[in-house]
């Protein structure tokens, strides 16, 4: 936050603790190597985060998590974005949102086999929603898990999966029943990647940004999964995935805002030193106003994110859909606009790798369609917004009617 925050003293102390650790331990060279796709997953660093209880920070401590609030986990992610990259924040975030649904709906066996090792940094997970034929439209998921005795047989393809190249298991959205209603046909299954039939078709290490996660396009061909790997109730996956996505939207957006803050900091400092036409850049009104607008935009986005996280902390999951969507939509667009402004203020040198603005620019761009695109967020917002904005005293009789209430007469074209 650039202005005064609305955090409690405990929350502020947590931010300071995270900051001190990350400033010391998050090596910029690791970020650069990931960006060059020389590292396919920051597993060493992820283990260090585990020692700090920064994996699954909001999962209860007795289950191996950090015992923090959702807001505190979001604050942590903001600092990871600021000191590191969206890719490192993403690797950590999976332990937060996949970890949280495992904590909430998983069996003791699943927690022992997947959740705890993941939170110790020993097992890597990937989250598999997107398919070649189903991205924004999650209801279109076609990967199937067919029951066969004491196991499921999984078939299908998933793409753009962060961490899939190195993942030990995949939290996989599958269709377990026929029919169009996603609320009754989808399930979430933990699929071990050492099973025969699991195959990586392509890695996405040539992506514009977000590199160094071992993101991949994968195929499941008759992969056998024990029945005990089904999360919660069969056919109830839509609910689990919806909850997981609420958390992911809050956490992932926060990392982008941390990155955007870093870019703006560089640009503002640069503008105080660079001279053009005989005066500092910051003394040209266009540059100083850009900084003012970006600072305001970032703080507004962070406050929306705080509100969304606090609603989840207060247990308002069903109610928070619109507020989370507002925080995601406004947040990633604010981050994108801010990084673009930062690049404009700094000029040509920002387009090189001299400063991280160039990498942040590439990283942030993806957030406008990952975890639910800006357009999908608008669809969610408008549904609830229309309910909230309905005027009970509205003069309905005037809609399409004359003042006296009679229908508006159709204007006939004049005959020539
Ligand atoms: C860096 C990165 C990391 C990712 N990580 C993962 C991951 O770990 N796991 C995973 O499962 N997926 C992952 N994804 C996939 C990501 O979630 C999808 O790209 C996203 O859901 C959009 O799906 P799509 O690309 O198929 O686009 P589409 O759904 O085909 O949409 C294309 C465009 O049309 C717009 N659009 C679609 N329908 C509508 C509509 N009804 N109204 C208005 N606009 C519409 C969308 O907003 C989008 O801009 C990742 C993607 C990227 C780029």
């Amino acid at each position: 936050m650039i202005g005064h925050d609305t955090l409690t003293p405990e929350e502020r102390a947590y931010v300071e603790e995270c900051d001190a650790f990350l400033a010391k331990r998050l090596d910029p060279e690791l970020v650069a190597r990931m960006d060059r796709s020389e590292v396919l997953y920051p597993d060493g660093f992820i283990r260090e985060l585990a020692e700090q209880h920064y994996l699954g920070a909001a999962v209860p401590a007795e289950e191996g998590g950090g015992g923090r609030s959702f807001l505190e986990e979001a604050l942590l992610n903001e600092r990871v974005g600021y000191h590191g990259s969206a890719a490192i924040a993403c690797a950590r975030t999976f332990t937060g949102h996949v970890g949280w649904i495992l904590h909430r709906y998983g069996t003791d066996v699943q927690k022992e086999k997947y959740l705890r090792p993941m939170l110790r940094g020993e097992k890597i997970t990937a989250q598999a929603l997107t398919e070649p034929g189903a991205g924004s439209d999650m209801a279109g998921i076609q990967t199937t898990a067919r029951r066969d005795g004491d196991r499921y047989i999984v078939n299908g393809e998933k793409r753009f999966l962060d961490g899939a190249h190195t993942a030990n298991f995949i939290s996989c959205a599958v269709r377990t029943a026929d029919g169009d209603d996603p609320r009754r046909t989808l399930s979430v299954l933990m699929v071990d990647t050492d099973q025969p039939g699991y195959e990586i078709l392509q890695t996405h290490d040539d992506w514009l940004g977000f590199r160094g996660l071992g993101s991949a396009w994968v195929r499941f061909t008759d992969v056998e999964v024990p029945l005990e790997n089904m999360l919660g109730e069969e056919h109830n996956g839509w609910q689990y995935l919806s909850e997981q996505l609420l958390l992911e939207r809050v956490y992932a957006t926060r990392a982008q805002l941390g990155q955007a803050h870093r870019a703006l900091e560089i640009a503002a400092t640069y503008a105080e030193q660079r001279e053009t036409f005989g005066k500092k850049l910051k003394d040209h009104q266009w540059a100083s106003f850009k900084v003012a607008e970006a600072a305001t935009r970032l703080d507004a986005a962070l406050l929306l994110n705080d509100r969304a996280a606090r609603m989840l902390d207060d247990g308002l999951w069903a109610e928070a859909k619109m507020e989370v969507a507002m925080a995601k939509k406004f947040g990633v667009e604010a981050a994108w606009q801010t990084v673009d402004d930062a690049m404009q203020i700094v000029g040509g040198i920002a387009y090189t790798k001299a400063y991280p603005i160039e990498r942040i620019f590439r990283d942030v761009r993806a957030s406008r369609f990952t975890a639910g695109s800006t357009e999908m967020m608008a669809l969610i917002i408008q549904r609830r917004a229309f309910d909230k904005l309905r005027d009970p005293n509205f003069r309905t009789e005037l809609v399409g009617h004359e003042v006296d209430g009679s229908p508006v007469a159709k204007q006939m074209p004049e005959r020539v």
Side-chain angles (χ1 to χ4, degrees):
M1 189 82 65
I2 293 150
H4 182 71
D5 62 51
T6 56
L7 303 179
T8 64
E10 293 74 30
E11 288 160 349
R12 209 168 293 134
Y14 186 59
V15 173
E16 282 165 18
E17 176 208 305
C18 297
D19 243 359
F21 172 81
L22 294 164
K24 211 157 93 193
R25 302 297 307 159
L26 218 171
D27 179 9
E29 185 51 26
L30 170 66
V31 175
R33 291 186 64 217
M34 285 175 70
D35 193 43
R36 293 194 295 268
S37 295
E38 290 166 12
V39 172
L40 278 192
Y41 194 88
D43 51 349
F45 182 66
I46 287 293
R47 253 182 238 122
E48 284 193 41
L49 292 182
E51 283 162 23
Q52 297 298 119
H53 304 290
Y54 290 166
L55 300 189
V59 171
E62 56 275 20
E63 300 213 332
R68 295 283 170 175
S69 65
F70 298 123
L71 175 59
E72 284 171 326
E73 177 143 11
L75 291 165
L76 163 63
N77 228 34
E78 180 188 334
R79 302 326 294 163
V80 177
Y82 174 90
H83 290 284
S85 69
I88 292 182
C90 173
R92 196 210 63 76
T93 303
F94 276 177
T95 66
H97 58 86
V98 175
W100 198 81
I101 60 163
L102 265 167
H103 143 67
R104 178 98 201 263
Y105 299 105
T107 61
D108 288 345
V109 174
Q110 288 167 354
K111 289 178 185 177
E112 210 46 52
K113 196 169 161 197
Y114 298 112
L115 178 62
R116 288 175 184 279
M118 180 171 81
L119 299 185
R120 289 194 296 265
E122 293 163 7
K123 276 195 177 176
I124 297 170
T125 187
Q127 160 192 242
L129 305 176
T130 310
E131 300 183 354
S136 307
D137 185 8
M138 212 166 71
I141 284 174
Q142 296 297 327
T143 297
T144 54
R146 189 173 44 79
R147 250 178 198 255
D148 182 19
D150 60 352
R151 61 215 161 141
Y152 289 99
I153 308 292
V154 179
N155 280 288
E157 283 185 20
K158 298 276 184 184
R159 64 178 179 179
F160 310 150
L161 310 189
D162 296 315
H165 201 268
T166 42
N168 303 96
F169 73 99
I170 297 187
S171 172
C172 194
V174 288
R175 199 166 273 279
T176 39
D178 295 331
D180 293 335
D181 184 353
R183 286 179 176 77
R184 291 159 195 251
T185 54
L186 288 181
S187 302
V188 179
L189 205 54
M190 302 300 145
V191 182
D192 291 314
T193 56
D194 59 3
Q195 288 301 300
Y198 174 74
E199 186 186 358
I200 289 178
L201 300 179
Q202 274 180 22
T203 54
H204 303 306
D205 32 332
D206 56 352
W207 267 356
L208 178 66
F210 237 89
R211 302 195 195 125
L213 279 175
S215 308
W217 184 326
V218 308
R219 179 186 287 152
F220 306 91
T221 311
D222 293 330
V223 176
E224 297 188 8
V225 180
L227 294 186
E228 64 181 30
N229 281 20
M230 173 64 62
L231 185 78
E233 285 172 39
E234 194 184 43
H235 313 320
N236 205 26
W238 184 265
Q239 183 195 329
Y240 313 143
L241 294 170
S242 301
E243 291 185 11
Q244 178 177 302
L245 278 167
L246 287 180
L247 281 181
E248 185 180 4
R249 282 171 191 155
V250 170
Y251 295 161
T253 301
R254 202 80 190 205
Q256 305 298 349
L257 291 169
Q259 293 210 115
H261 186 161
R262 178 75 191 112
L264 184 61
E265 196 174 78
I266 295 167
T269 311
Y270 186 89
E272 284 185 314
Q273 297 177 25
R274 170 76 167 174
E275 285 190 17
T276 66
F277 297 93
K279 56 182 180 181
K280 304 278 190 221
L281 260 185
K282 89 180 256 286
D283 296 324
H284 293 279
Q285 199 183 58
W286 76 268
S288 62
F289 277 21
K290 259 195 190 316
V291 170
E293 278 162 24
T296 310
R297 199 188 299 125
L298 275 188
D299 273 13
L302 290 166
L303 289 170
L304 276 179
N305 196 278
D306 285 359
R307 178 179 73 175
R310 285 199 199 283
M311 283 183 79
L312 299 181
D313 277 321
D314 290 343
L316 300 172
W317 289 74
E319 296 83 347
K321 274 188 189 140
M322 178 177 78
E323 288 80 356
V324 168
M326 285 174 166
K328 163 80 168 60
K329 180 177 184 296
F330 189 82
V332 297
E333 294 300 325
W336 169 245
Q337 184 63 58
T338 300
V339 182
D340 188 49
D341 285 347
M343 191 171 266
Q344 195 65 19
I345 290 168
V346 175
I349 192 74
Y351 201 62
T352 73
K353 292 193 185 298
Y355 298 110
I357 294 177
E358 174 265 351
R359 174 187 49 74
I360 295 172
F361 186 86
R362 289 183 284 110
D363 274 1
V364 167
R365 184 61 185 83
S367 66
R368 297 176 65 212
F369 46 81
T370 54
S373 67
T374 289
E375 292 76 22
M376 292 303 112
M377 295 306 101
L379 280 175
I380 295 172
I381 294 165
Q382 54 87 30
R383 267 183 224 133
R384 194 70 59 97
F386 273 107
D387 286 343
K388 296 263 183 185
L389 293 168
R390 197 161 300 120
D391 174 2
N393 303 314
F394 187 70
R395 294 187 62 192
T396 308
E397 75 277 8
L398 293 181
V399 180
H401 290 79
E402 303 282 10
V403 175
D404 67 359
S406 55
V408 176
K410 281 233 161 64
Q411 296 286 321
M412 297 302 286
E414 269 180 36
R415 288 197 175 184
V416 262

